[in-house]
Amino acid sequence: MYKIGIDLGSSFTKGVLVDDNNNIIDYHLTRTGFDFNKAAQKIIDKFSADHEIQYPVYTCGYGREELKIPFASNSEIIALANAVFKHYNKKCSIIDIGGQDTKYVTVSESGQVDKFKMNRKCAAGTGSFIEEIAFRLDISVEEFTSLAKQATEETKINSYCTVFAVSEIVGMIKKGSTMPNIILGIYNSVIDRSVELSPIEDFLVITGGIPDNHPLIVNLFKKRFPNCDSPEKSQFMAAYGCVLLNLENNI
């Protein structure tokens, strides 16, 4: 029997398939859309095609209690902290950059959540900020990293609001700023908004869809905070943490 953890986020739903040794053996990602139950079912259908699934499935995120199948819901923050602590086994701070929010979590030496904060300035510093700017400038999200690598210097973005940021960027282009330098500025703007949540004092772990899909952001974090890392497939950490939490509680 295999266990499933599902993180039902506002933009994407992330699922992991876990074996009897509590190791992840498969991942699946789908857009959440407007129906959390449908998004979760896509994850379950993918995994159950070749594996016998154990119920309940373990959930977290915005839609964690919206399923029509047996489930056990969890706090996304505690699930994320649990999985990160299992991976690194030490006190740390976590910055999780998702589609529509950015979270800051501190984890104690025993693996407990000490502190938690979330961004309060709309989509500033989140994946939506990057996606909306990419859409308005007609640049694919995939092109962001390759363009940023061509940057010779940063063009600083001062606007928090996506609409104002686009206007600011158009003005910069008219004044001669290059797109690679502007995109580097966009990446650093996301980092600036993230670290405003709290001073970084411990080992820093970066997780979420943005660092997974824009790896240059992780490198930029490491330049500012050398004691920093981002685990592979970090956007699935909370889904994995759901499974670990419920195993600890024998659910």
Side-chain angles (χ1 to χ4, degrees):
M1 299 285 279
Y2 293 82
K3 299 168 280 292
I4 294 178
I6 305 175
D7 176 6
L8 293 123
S10 56
S11 298
F12 287 92
T13 293
K14 291 78 69 177
V16 295
L17 182 66
V18 177
D19 66 13
D20 287 339
N21 295 318
N22 300 326
N23 295 317
I24 300 175
I25 62 168
D26 201 1
Y27 303 82
H28 191 56
L29 175 78
T30 185
R31 282 197 175 275
T32 299
F34 63 91
D35 188 336
F36 287 112
N37 190 66
K38 185 176 180 180
Q41 194 59 52
K42 288 180 182 178
I43 301 288
I44 295 167
D45 289 346
K46 165 70 167 56
F47 291 152
S48 63
D50 299 313
H51 301 87
E52 187 174 1
I53 303 304
Q54 171 183 314
Y55 288 91
V57 298
Y58 306 116
T59 65
C60 69
Y62 290 104
R64 62 184 180 273
E65 296 187 345
E66 301 295 326
L67 307 193
K68 296 178 181 177
I69 57 172
F71 66 90
S73 66
N74 305 267
S75 158
E76 178 186 354
I77 304 305
I78 296 175
L80 175 64
N82 191 287
V84 168
F85 187 75
K86 175 179 173 58
H87 189 83
Y88 293 102
N89 195 30
K90 62 180 179 180
K91 180 181 180 181
C92 63
S93 298
I94 304 169
I95 291 179
D96 184 85
I97 309 175
Q100 295 189 10
D101 61 42
T102 298
K103 306 176 190 69
Y104 173 81
V105 185
T106 58
V107 183
S108 71
E109 293 176 348
S110 62
Q112 304 300 307
V113 174
D114 268 346
K115 185 166 63 176
F116 162 65
K117 288 186 177 179
M118 184 178 288
N119 64 307
R120 297 180 182 277
K121 293 178 180 175
C122 59
T126 73
S128 294
F129 182 74
I130 292 178
E131 288 187 356
E132 182 64 20
I133 289 177
F135 173 76
R136 288 170 178 264
L137 297 179
D138 195 24
I139 299 173
S140 72
V141 172
E142 291 73 22
E143 289 176 300
F144 256 64
T145 295
S146 60
L147 282 169
K149 287 180 179 177
Q150 301 170 33
T152 55
E153 61 181 1
E154 176 190 1
T155 298
K156 190 170 180 59
I157 309 297
N158 295 307
S159 301
Y160 287 159
C161 171
T162 304
V163 175
F164 293 154
V166 170
S167 298
E168 184 181 359
I169 289 168
V170 171
M172 291 170 174
I173 293 171
K174 288 181 178 178
K175 291 179 180 177
S177 294
T178 67
M179 190 53 66
N181 289 353
I182 289 172
I183 291 177
L184 181 60
I186 292 169
Y187 278 160
N188 277 315
S189 175
V190 170
I191 295 173
D192 289 342
R193 302 292 86 76
S194 300
V195 300
E196 284 176 352
L197 291 172
S198 181
I200 307 299
E201 299 174 350
D202 306 312
F203 172 58
L204 177 62
V205 180
I206 309 300
T207 64
I210 294 305
D212 275 7
N213 296 314
H214 300 268
L216 187 58
I217 281 188
V218 176
N219 294 338
L220 293 172
F221 263 108
K222 288 181 177 178
K223 284 186 178 179
R224 296 197 198 186
F225 307 99
N227 192 21
C228 167
D229 194 28
S230 181
E232 186 179 359
K233 295 184 180 296
S234 68
Q235 63 186 318
F236 294 91
M237 294 298 277
Y240 184 42
C242 289
V243 177
L244 300 176
L245 277 174
N246 287 279
L247 291 176
E248 292 172 3
N249 296 326
N250 295 316
I251 296 176

